Every structure is written in structure tokens, then in C-alpha cells.
Amino acid sequence: MFTGIVTALGRITARQEGDELVRLTVASPYDAGSVETGASVAHAGVCLTVVEHRPAADGGMIHVVEAAAETLAKTTVGAWAVGDEINLERSLKAGDEFGGHFVQGHVDGTGEVLSVAAEGEGWRIVIRAPALLAGLIAPKGAITVDGVSLTVNGVTGDAFDVLIIPHTWAVTTLSKLQPGSSVNLEADMMARYVARILDARAGTA
């Protein structure tokens, strides 16, 4: 379980293609002693298991994760290349400050950035959601974009927009987005369950 509050930026330092898995090596500023092998870490909103980790020469951490076919099909992980930066968040612990919303790290699908524009002291990003996800996104509701907990400002058809404050812009990869970029989207957990109950009652599930 996560909150959508990014705690570090990671950088892909190696990528290895296997028959059924993609193996990624990530450098981050995390203390290697703060993460255990087998721990769950959100990578741009995707919950991945740390299969190896070690201290880095700069005092940070090097860790390895593996992504299987389902993850590669439904997220942007398959497109990550050496040098790419990604938002990171360690899993929530009892007693931690809860500043975002409940995020599972189970990405529902990828969205397409339609526009990025400065607005006042912040930035407005408009994103088109896949059809199966669009119905779960509501104005003033929560959405996770590349691992960042955000409030939906407005919804028009299958597109929605979010407003990014300067702090979030500075400490996440959202500042690198441009029209055409793909982003990982996770709908609010409660919206998923409400939709499932309604579908079951209507006999469509």
C-alpha cells in the first residue's frame, strides 16, 4: 500500500530483456539499509518487488526489480530505457504520515498526455484515459498519475485535467511530460469497488 507521495527520483541504469521478464536496475538516493530484498516499491506508480539491492558508491542505493508480461502490457514499464527517471515511493508503514490517498500500485492502464500548460504559478496537464478507466474518474476525486497522488480538476468525455503545484513539479517527473507522453494511471480504490458492485447488480459482471 502507498499514498502517492513521491519520496525520491530513481534512474534506470540497466535493462535486461529475458524470455518472460524485463529486469531493471535502478539507482536512487534511498539508504540501502532502509529497504529489504522482497520489499515493495512503487516505480512510477507500479508496485514492483525488490529482488536485489546494495549500497551505491554515492551513498544511495542500487536495486533490481523484474516486470512480467501483465505489467509490461498494462503500464509504461516496457518502454523504460537506461537514463530514464522515475518516481519512487516505498510502501506505507504503520504510523507513517498519510498525505495522499490509498494507492495500491496496481495500474489500471496508461493514459496519453494531451497538453501541458503553465497556469498561474502552476501547470495544468490534460490526459486522455483509456475507455475502461474513464468512467472511474470524477471531478474532485483522486487519481494517481505516474505514482503521484493528484486531485482531478475536471472531466470532459474520456479526458481529465489536473493542476500541478510548483513543489510537485520540482520533485517528480511530471515536469518532463509533454503532449503524446504515456503515463501510468490508477483510479481511486473506492471507485473501482463501487463500479464492480454496480456492474454485479446490473448483471454485466
Side-chain angles (χ1 to χ4, degrees):
M1 187 68 71
F2 307 93
T3 68
I5 304 299
V6 171
T7 53
L9 290 180
R11 180 172 52 85
I12 306 296
T13 60
R15 177 187 173 98
Q16 181 181 353
E17 302 280 349
D19 291 336
E20 298 180 352
L21 294 172
V22 169
R23 186 177 173 89
L24 298 164
T25 302
V26 183
S28 77
Y30 288 144
D31 180 346
S34 69
V35 177
E36 298 181 358
T37 298
S40 295
V41 176
H43 296 67
V46 184
C47 179
L48 297 173
T49 301
V50 174
V51 298
E52 296 177 20
H53 77 292
R54 64 182 186 274
D58 63 1
M61 182 179 77
I62 302 293
H63 70 273
V64 177
V65 293
E66 295 173 333
E70 178 73 3
T71 299
L72 298 174
K74 291 191 174 180
T75 73
T76 63
V77 173
W80 293 351
V82 172
D84 285 351
E85 283 192 319
I86 52 175
N87 298 317
L88 298 177
E89 182 189 354
R90 287 171 292 192
S91 57
L92 185 65
K93 297 178 181 179
D96 284 351
E97 180 178 350
F98 192 86
H101 70 282
F102 282 120
V103 175
Q104 293 178 300
H106 301 163
V107 170
D108 294 297
T110 58
E112 178 190 0
V113 174
L114 300 181
S115 65
V116 180
E119 185 168 315
E121 296 184 3
W123 291 263
R124 183 184 298 271
I125 301 177
V126 180
I127 300 169
R128 177 184 290 122
L132 292 177
L133 179 56
L136 303 181
I137 302 173
K140 308 310 176 187
I143 187 76
T144 308
V145 179
D146 274 353
V148 183
S149 172
L150 298 169
T151 299
V152 176
N153 186 66
V155 177
T156 304
D158 60 358
F160 67 94
D161 66 275
V162 290
L163 294 174
I164 312 300
I165 63 173
H167 174 76
T168 303
W169 189 258
V171 301
T172 72
T173 62
L174 297 184
S175 61
K176 299 182 183 299
L177 297 179
Q178 56 187 334
S181 295
S182 293
V183 290
N184 294 318
L185 300 178
E186 180 184 331
D188 180 68
M189 186 191 309
M190 296 305 297
R192 288 180 185 166
Y193 288 120
V194 169
R196 179 74 176 96
I197 291 169
L198 293 176
D199 285 344
R201 288 180 175 177
T204 59

